[in-house]
């Protein structure tokens, strides 16, 4: 691994571009970590988020140092003659299997989280908060980190040639995400409607990963545009609800 010449403006441009891309690609990872860590005792949530993001950084650096092995994972294992992409039968590789497994995990996990949040406790005993084991949450974070890291590194390889620049971009992006993970997590978990929106977003990402495993391309820009529009509408609704609550009279009447 060679250290590039940082006096070259092109290197800095590549670093900034890749860092920004890593942050954007890490948004879905932060959302998942925020929601899953909410199942923990409040005193353990920050620790779980930091461990999750640090593990993501370590995995991405390891993957970057084994680029040859990563490229080998894209070698076709078998072909699906009844599914085509661009008129050709789809060839499935280890990379495709990893993407499909990760996508299915996201869909199932997010669906179960939605079901859990919609359930209403029927007795006073059930109303008591039950926290998930710390090791279980970390294990789930590791599984999702592996999928998101794999997708992120494949994107980085296609953009930049210097491995050192990729590693620096990963470290900077993870540091920024760790800085903002707390406020983002609190904001999402404080608003139930945003939680549902975030879980729906993760289901869409999971479906996209499965589709990509079958070489059926779905533009990420469509999904991010959709979620951005939904988020904007929900933020407007939140502001409207807050405004209506602020003008309520003590007796419950509105002005």
């Amino acid at each position: 691994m060679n250290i590039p010449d940082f006096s070259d403006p092109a290197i800095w441009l590549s670093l900034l571009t890749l860092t920004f891309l890593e942050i954007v690609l890490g948004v879905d990872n932060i959302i998942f970590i925020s929601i899953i860590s909410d199942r923990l005792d409040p005193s353990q949530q920050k620790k779980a988020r930091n461990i999750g993001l640090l593990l993501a950084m370590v995995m991405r650096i390891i993957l970057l140092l084994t680029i040859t092995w990563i490229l080998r994972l894209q070698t076709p294992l078998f072909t699906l003659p009844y599914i085509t992409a661009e008129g050709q039968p789809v060839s499935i590789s280890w990379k495709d299997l990893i993407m499909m497994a990760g996508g299915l995990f996201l869909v199932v996990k997010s669906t179960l989280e939605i079901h859990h949040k919609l359930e209403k406790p029927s007795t006073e005993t059930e109303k008591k908060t039950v926290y998930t084991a710390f090791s279980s949450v970390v294990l789930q974070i590791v599984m999702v980190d592996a999928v998101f890291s794999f997708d992120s590194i494949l994107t980085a390889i296609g953009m930049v040639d210097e491995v050192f620049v990729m590693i620096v971009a990963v470290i900077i992006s993870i540091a920024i995400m760790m800085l903002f993970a707390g406020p983002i997590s609190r904001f999402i978990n404080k608003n139930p409607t945003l939680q549902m929106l975030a879980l729906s977003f993760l289901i869409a990402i999971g479906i996209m990963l499965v589709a990509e495993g079958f070489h059926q391309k779905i533009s990420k820009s469509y999904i991010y545009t959709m979620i951005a529009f939904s988020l904007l509408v929900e933020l407007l609704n939140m502001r409207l609800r807050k405004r209506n609550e602020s003008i309520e009279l003590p007796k419950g009447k509105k002005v």
Side-chain angles (χ1 to χ4, degrees):
M1 180 175 62
N2 297 322
I3 299 178
D5 181 11
F6 280 94
S7 63
D8 184 358
I11 296 296
W12 285 101
L13 181 60
S14 299
L15 177 60
L16 291 173
T17 303
L18 189 55
T19 300
F20 176 76
L21 181 62
E22 289 289 330
I23 294 172
V24 172
L25 292 175
V27 168
D28 37 20
N29 200 3
I30 290 180
I31 291 174
F32 180 83
I33 291 174
S34 298
I35 292 175
I36 196 66
S37 63
D38 189 46
R39 302 289 295 274
L40 289 170
D41 185 282
S43 63
Q44 295 182 312
Q45 291 178 10
K46 181 178 179 180
K47 181 180 178 181
R49 289 194 301 268
N50 289 338
I51 288 177
L53 289 170
L54 284 174
L55 286 172
M57 182 180 72
V58 171
M59 279 190 286
R60 292 182 189 189
I61 292 174
I62 291 174
L63 289 174
L64 283 172
L65 296 175
T66 56
I67 287 179
T68 303
W69 176 75
I70 293 176
L71 295 177
R72 197 179 301 136
L73 288 179
Q74 300 183 74
T75 304
L77 296 173
F78 55 89
T79 301
L80 300 176
Y82 302 107
I83 302 178
T84 60
E86 298 180 356
Q88 299 295 324
V90 169
S91 297
I92 303 298
S93 64
W94 279 112
K95 171 239 177 185
D96 298 321
L97 293 175
I98 292 172
M99 301 294 277
M100 285 187 278
L104 285 174
F105 175 79
L106 269 183
V107 171
V108 172
K109 183 61 184 176
S110 300
T111 302
L112 291 175
E113 284 292 322
I114 290 175
H115 177 71
H116 171 76
K117 292 183 182 301
L118 290 177
E119 277 188 324
K120 289 185 177 181
S122 57
T123 65
E124 289 298 323
T125 303
E126 292 177 349
K127 288 181 181 180
K128 183 179 178 180
T129 303
V130 178
Y131 295 118
T132 306
F134 185 83
S135 58
S136 173
V137 170
V138 171
L139 178 61
Q140 293 178 63
I141 290 173
V142 169
M143 292 173 65
V144 173
D145 276 347
V147 178
F148 287 146
S149 296
F150 197 87
D151 188 33
S152 172
I153 294 310
L154 288 175
T155 303
I157 292 173
M159 285 190 60
V160 181
D161 296 326
E162 295 83 2
V163 175
F164 186 83
V165 173
M166 297 181 198
I167 292 176
V168 173
V170 165
I171 293 173
I172 294 174
S173 62
I174 293 295
I176 292 174
M177 285 189 281
M178 288 181 69
L179 184 64
F180 290 99
I184 292 174
S185 179
R186 288 189 293 272
F187 182 64
I188 291 176
N189 294 323
K190 184 180 178 181
N191 299 279
T193 52
L194 281 182
Q195 282 187 335
M196 291 300 169
L197 186 61
L199 288 167
S200 300
F201 172 58
L202 290 175
I203 290 176
I205 291 294
I207 293 172
M208 183 193 69
L209 290 175
V210 173
E212 286 187 357
F214 286 106
H215 297 201
Q216 309 301 310
K217 298 298 181 183
I218 300 176
S219 176
K220 291 182 181 179
S221 61
Y222 294 152
I223 293 180
Y224 286 122
T225 301
M226 173 189 70
I227 200 67
F229 177 76
S230 301
L231 178 61
L232 177 62
V233 172
E234 181 54 32
L235 290 175
L236 291 174
N237 283 332
M238 289 171 59
R239 183 173 182 181
L240 179 62
R241 286 195 296 268
K242 186 176 180 181
R243 178 174 175 271
N244 288 339
E245 289 173 0
S246 66
I247 61 175
E248 286 183 355
L249 295 176
K251 293 183 180 181
K253 297 180 180 180
K254 296 182 179 180
V255 176

